[in-house]
């Protein structure tokens, strides 16, 4: 299988660990191992006793049990733990798609959601997010694009890179119409539980759709990307079995200390999410002021969930702007061209504690 480079990851590889301000990260502020261990008395001693042999391939029973609490209808045997959400995306596509199949993918998107299907030899229809409509993709367009050989529909909400959170009716409609046609919905929900208003939280696809596969991870809302613990949850036993069989060829099982820490963190996920939501809320207030002061230079659609948005720069070329900004001011933004976007957008991230300083730097750069 030949697959092109993952543009966003290559860009981060160049900058992530050497620029002063990451103003485009999609994950929220992280914590230390010690911070996690302090969440529960006795956790440190338990970690020290953690056995370093191979772990259970689907993920430890107790971790899967904890993951089930995120959902309303899912049992531990319907959860398959992976090394990050990324491994799960790769295995899902391999499990479900054959050359010549058709896939419909919510776009722009995290590149692997579209690229793995293309590399397998599928024909991919991009289901476009519409900026004029607050970045909502059009449900009628989805209906029109479904073909007899459509084998998967990929949805990502809250969405990377736009921050778009779908409304409940539309979400249920996407689930209904894919399920009715026997098409698995791959629902990338890695930013779930970061909604600014609890009432806006969508049900998980796996809880409302027998064929739905929900993707989750510790990286984003909970700020624990370094654990590399992701999972799928689904009632679709056939897809589950195929993914489990493929995992034997990638990672076999997960890191034991990471599983321990992920389980501990998920027991306190509301607290971790709340702390990150407070960071996001404070940062958003700053961004509102920034975009108001620079209303001519940027167009800003404020999201309803998550730690990223996809504003447009009016005028100057976005690649050049990002390049000059990082070289002169040490502030990293992500040009939309890395998502193959041609609308001069850029991804901004506001889940990090040092965002206010990064925005000050950006503003100084704009003035000088
Ligand atoms: C929409 C989406 N899905 C999946 C992933 C992969 O998550 P992870 O890096 O934790 O495996 C990302 C990471 O940015 C993402 O934005």
């Amino acid at each position: 299988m030949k697959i092109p480079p993952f543009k966003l990851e290559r860009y981060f590889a160049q900058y992530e660990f050497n620029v002063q301000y990451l103003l485009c990260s999609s994950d929220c502020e992280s914590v230390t191992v010690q911070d996690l261990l302090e969440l529960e008395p006795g956790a440190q001693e338990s970690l020290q006793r953690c056995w370093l042999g191979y772990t259970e391939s689907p993920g430890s029973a107790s971790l899967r049990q904890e993951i089930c609490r995120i959902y309303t209808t899912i049992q531990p045997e319907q959860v398959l733990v992976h090394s990050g959400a990324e491994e799960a995306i790769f295995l899902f596509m391999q499990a479900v798609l054959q050359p010549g199949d058709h896939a419909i993918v919510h776009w722009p998107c995290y590149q692997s959601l579209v690229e793995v299907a293309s590399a397998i030899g599928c024909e991919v229809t991009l289901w476009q997010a519409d900026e004029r409509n607050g970045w909502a993709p059009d449900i009628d367009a989805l209906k029109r694009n479904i073909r007899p050989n459509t084998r998967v529909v990929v949805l990502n909400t809250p969405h990377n890179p736009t921050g778009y959170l779908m409304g409940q009716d539309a979400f249920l409609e996407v689930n209904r119409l894919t399920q009715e046609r026997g098409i698995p919905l791959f629902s990338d929900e890695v930013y779930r539980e970061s909604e600014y208003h609890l009432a806006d939280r969508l049900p998980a696809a796996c809880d409302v759709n027998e064929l739905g596969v929900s993707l989750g991870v510790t990286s984003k809302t909970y700020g624990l990307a370094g654990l590399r613990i992701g999972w799928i949850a689904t009632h679709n036993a056939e897809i589950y079995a195929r993914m489990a069989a493929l995992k034997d060829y990638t990672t076999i099982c997960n890191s034991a200390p990471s599983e321990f820490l992920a389980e501990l963190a998920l027991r306190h996920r509301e607290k971790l999410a709340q702390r990150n939501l407070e960071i996001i809320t404070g940062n958003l207030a700053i961004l509102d002021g920034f975009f108001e002061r620079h209303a001519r230079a940027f167009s800003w659609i404020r999201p309803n969930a998550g730690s990223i948005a996809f504003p447009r720069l009016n005028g100057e070329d976005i690649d050049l702007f990002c390049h000059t900004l990082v070289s002169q001011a040490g502030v990293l933004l992500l040009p939309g061209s890395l998502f193959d976007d041609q609308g001069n957008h850029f991804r901004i991230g506001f889940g990090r504690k040092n965002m206010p300083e990064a925005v000050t730097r950006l503003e100084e750069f704009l003035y000088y």
Side-chain angles (χ1 to χ4, degrees), residues 278-287 350-353 355-356:
E278 278 161 25
I279 296 174
I280 287 174
T281 310
N283 285 344
L284 267 176
I286 291 171
L287 283 183
F350 40 87
R352 300 288 177 89
K353 273 188 181 162
M355 193 221 74

Side-chain angles (χ1 to χ4, degrees), residues 6 8-9 12 26-27 83-89 109-113 156-161 186 188-191 215-220 224-226 228-230 308 339 347:
F6 199 130
L8 175 151
E9 298 298 348
F12 271 118
S26 59
D27 51 341
S83 293
E86 184 69 321
E87 185 190 24
I89 294 171
C109 65
Y110 186 65
Q111 192 175 334
S112 50
L113 292 172
N156 168 219
T157 186
H159 181 236
N160 177 9
F186 188 70
D188 183 328
E189 299 166 3
V190 300
Y191 298 95
L215 178 70
V217 80
T218 56
S219 310
K220 309 295 181 184
L224 303 169
R228 309 308 302 132
I229 293 289
I308 45 178
F339 291 89
R347 189 175 82 182

Side-chain angles (χ1 to χ4, degrees), residues 45-334:
E45 294 70 26
S46 300
L47 177 62
Q48 280 163 351
R49 284 195 300 273
C50 177
W51 187 253
L52 293 178
Y54 281 106
T55 59
E56 281 177 74
S57 186
S60 76
S62 54
L63 171 59
R64 285 181 288 134
Q65 184 76 54
E66 200 52 50
I67 291 171
C68 285
R69 292 183 202 280
I70 299 173
Y71 307 104
T72 56
T73 64
I74 291 292
Q75 301 301 314
E77 61 277 13
Q78 295 166 326
V79 172
L80 183 60
V81 182
H82 293 82
S83 293
E86 184 69 321
E87 185 190 24
I89 294 171
F90 192 79
L91 295 191
F92 172 85
M93 300 296 171
Q94 301 287 346
V96 169
L97 296 171
Q98 304 276 348
D101 285 346
H102 177 239
I104 300 179
V105 182
H106 187 180
W107 188 87
C109 65
Y110 186 65
Q111 192 175 334
S112 50
L113 292 172
V114 70
E115 206 70 78
V116 181
S118 296
I120 288 170
C122 298
E123 217 182 312
V124 179
T125 299
L126 302 177
W127 181 30
Q128 308 242 359
D130 183 357
E131 186 177 15
R132 291 161 308 176
N133 202 7
W135 290 118
D138 176 15
I139 309 281
D140 288 332
L142 173 63
K143 270 189 221 154
R144 279 197 305 277
N145 282 315
I146 290 177
R147 303 181 192 168
N149 68 337
T150 304
R151 296 286 171 262
V152 66
V153 171
V154 177
L155 171 70
N156 168 219
T157 186
H159 181 236
N160 177 9
T162 65
Y164 168 73
L165 173 64
M166 192 170 259
Q168 171 120 333
D169 290 348
F171 183 74
L172 292 177
E173 174 70 358
V174 173
N175 277 280
R176 192 190 56 73
L177 72 90
T178 49
Q179 189 177 355
E180 240 171 43
R181 290 161 175 80
I183 303 169
L185 177 72
F186 188 70
S187 181
D188 183 328
E189 299 166 3
V190 300
Y191 298 95
R192 193 160 174 262
E193 301 202 334
S194 66
E195 303 78 10
Y196 309 154
H197 303 288
L198 188 57
D200 292 341
R201 183 168 304 161
L202 294 170
C206 61
D207 285 326
V208 294
N209 176 350
E210 284 293 309
L211 300 179
V213 177
S214 289
L215 178 70
V217 80
T218 56
S219 310
K220 309 295 181 184
T221 305
Y222 317 112
L224 303 169
L227 291 181
R228 309 308 302 132
I229 293 289
W231 59 87
I232 54 115
T234 184
H235 288 279
N236 192 324
E238 201 183 317
I239 292 181
Y240 184 104
R242 280 194 245 150
M243 289 179 73
L246 284 168
K247 194 181 166 197
D248 295 337
Y249 284 97
T250 51
T251 56
I252 302 174
C253 64
N254 310 297
S255 145
S258 281
E259 286 209 345
F260 172 88
L261 291 169
E263 184 184 330
L264 169 63
L266 290 177
R267 274 200 294 278
H268 301 273
R269 68 180 212 280
E270 281 165 20
K271 188 171 176 182
L272 293 168
Q274 186 52 36
R275 169 245 194 199
N276 286 332
L277 263 180
E278 278 161 25
I279 296 174
I280 287 174
T281 310
N283 285 344
L284 267 176
I286 291 171
L287 283 183
D288 286 337
F290 172 85
F291 285 116
E292 210 177 296
R293 288 192 296 283
H294 300 280
R296 282 229 201 130
F298 302 101
S299 70
W300 164 237
I301 297 179
R302 195 185 208 270
N304 294 318
S307 51
I308 45 178
F310 207 45
R312 191 177 60 236
L313 173 68
N314 299 320
E316 190 182 343
D317 173 71
I318 193 61
D319 289 293
L320 183 62
F321 178 82
C322 291
H323 177 73
T324 320
L325 176 68
V326 72
S327 12
Q328 292 183 7
V331 176
L332 191 70
L333 289 174
L334 204 69

